[in-house]
Amino acid sequence: MTELARAHGAPVLAARLRAAPEDFFVEELPGFEASGAGEHLLLTVEKRGMNTAFAARRIAAWAGVDESAIGYAGLKDRHAVTRQRFTVWLPKKIAPDLEALQSDDLRVLEHAWHARKLPRGALAGNRFVLVLRDVEGEHAAIETRLQAIASQGVPNYFGEQRFGRGGGNVQQAVAMFAGRRVKREERAMLLSAARSELFNRVLDARVAAGSWDAALEGEVWMLDGSRSVFGPEPHTDALQARLEAFDIHPTGPLWGAGELRSVGVAREVELEALEGDTATRLRNGLERAGLAQERRALRLRPEGLAWDWRGEDALELRFSLPPGCYATTVLRELGDVVDAATA
């Protein structure tokens, strides 16, 4: 990630993130309301220093059910304070004592009955409150950069979480495609890492060329707030107006089998960025794995970006992001932010 091109210029700050779990607060924005009836108990919980998988195991043990009876929409990191929803399948519609689940590191905030298991991706986005500490840099320059991010957005890179410690997931994916046997859950993780690596390469090329938030000939477009795509089609003043209004975004490939949708200059840029031995191995492996060609928006604009200084060297940031987007991609446009939880 440190080698990927930045859209807004040289770093304007250096800082530490997650000096304590409370410095990284993330809350799922629900994609639906509870139905009020059904066999699934829908829990909204707040947890501290606990990842989603561990919380799911604890909830399953509390309910006396198999882990497969637990549903959740997204994965949340351990080194944070997080709010998210879980469903527990209870066919007899008898909920265990909620007080028995409460603890210092996990609290149930809301509960209701719901008709279905909570599937992955069933959220409207995530709201973040982040505190950067030991901030070095001129306040005026930092605020100017934040204003630029708020108005122009940032490149929609996949974050470091996709690639594992030291970025090792990509090489593991290459080994898997070469025949190394892996567990089913590890396979899904490595397929995602391979796709993310290829997308980031394309986006890096577009950022370096200054076209990550502009139209190339042969562009494929994505509607803001959805995964719907259209094009290529001739560029018009109407398309340009929609681009400037953040109603649509240029896209890059999530690699898989099938024909690359982009044409012309956009296609040439994508294929050139994906040359080389490693990229070729990743592309071939993804195609053999049966994943289909998809697209992802090249840019991301944090919603409601606001900030406050907590003294001279602590900066609080507040914003929301769509599903599948990373707070770290916003932070890297500010400068060099060290994750104290993993450093």
Side-chain angles (χ1 to χ4, degrees), residues 13-290:
L13 66 68
R16 290 196 307 143
L17 177 66
R18 295 202 283 195
E22 288 77 10
D23 288 348
F24 197 107
F25 174 83
V26 56
E27 177 181 22
E28 283 186 353
L29 302 176
F32 61 86
E33 296 295 327
S35 63
E39 297 181 342
H40 297 266
L41 185 63
L42 180 64
L43 304 173
T44 301
V45 307
E46 179 175 292
K47 46 194 174 51
R48 181 187 188 277
M50 183 185 306
N51 67 24
T52 300
F54 188 91
R57 289 194 294 270
R58 181 180 290 189
I59 293 170
W62 161 77
V65 299
D66 189 81
E67 285 185 45
S68 63
I70 309 299
Y72 48 85
L75 296 172
K76 298 293 180 286
D77 193 50
R78 171 187 171 190
H79 304 287
V81 174
T82 59
R83 290 180 184 171
Q84 69 176 123
R85 302 203 292 184
F86 294 84
T87 52
V88 188
W89 184 40
L90 299 168
K92 296 182 180 180
K93 296 185 66 176
I94 300 176
D97 179 14
L98 287 171
E99 285 301 317
L101 184 58
Q102 307 280 20
S103 65
D104 290 341
D105 55 0
L106 190 152
R107 297 188 300 120
V108 178
L109 305 178
E110 297 178 0
H111 66 280
W113 289 104
H114 188 59
R116 291 181 297 212
K117 181 179 182 179
L118 185 59
R120 295 293 183 91
L123 68 161
N126 292 288
R127 183 174 70 89
F128 296 88
V129 181
L130 311 179
V131 179
L132 303 182
R133 300 194 183 275
D134 301 328
V135 176
E136 299 177 4
E138 296 183 1
H139 286 202
I142 293 169
E143 294 194 13
T144 297
R145 178 64 55 85
L146 285 167
Q147 291 164 359
I149 290 171
S151 63
Q152 301 171 34
V154 299
N156 192 22
Y157 288 119
F158 283 101
E160 295 174 347
Q161 300 94 313
R162 277 291 174 103
F163 304 107
R165 185 174 294 276
N169 287 354
V170 172
Q171 289 307 315
Q172 290 186 51
V174 171
M176 178 181 70
F177 293 147
R180 184 173 73 86
R181 296 174 65 87
V182 300
K183 297 178 181 179
R184 182 177 179 180
E185 59 271 21
E186 184 182 5
R187 180 177 185 274
M189 177 186 69
L190 297 181
L191 289 174
S192 293
R195 266 187 149 186
S196 302
E197 168 71 10
L198 296 178
F199 176 86
N200 277 6
R201 290 190 182 203
V202 171
L203 180 50
D204 176 56
R206 295 281 297 256
V207 174
S211 65
W212 64 280
D213 60 349
L216 295 181
E217 185 264 325
E219 196 77 68
V220 179
W221 300 97
M222 179 169 287
L223 296 174
D224 185 59
S226 79
R227 295 182 180 179
S228 298
V229 298
F230 68 94
E233 59 185 64
H235 193 66
T236 63
D237 291 342
L239 273 180
Q240 183 62 31
R242 294 179 70 186
L243 172 66
E244 294 173 2
F246 282 80
D247 180 49
I248 59 175
H249 308 285
T251 64
L254 294 175
W255 203 266
E259 186 66 22
L260 191 61
R261 182 160 178 164
S262 57
V263 299
V265 175
R267 183 190 183 100
E268 292 173 4
V269 169
E270 291 171 5
L271 292 178
E272 183 177 353
L274 299 181
E275 292 178 348
D277 182 66
T278 297
T280 299
R281 290 171 184 265
L282 294 175
R283 288 165 58 186
N284 292 340
L286 289 166
E287 291 170 15
R288 290 195 303 270

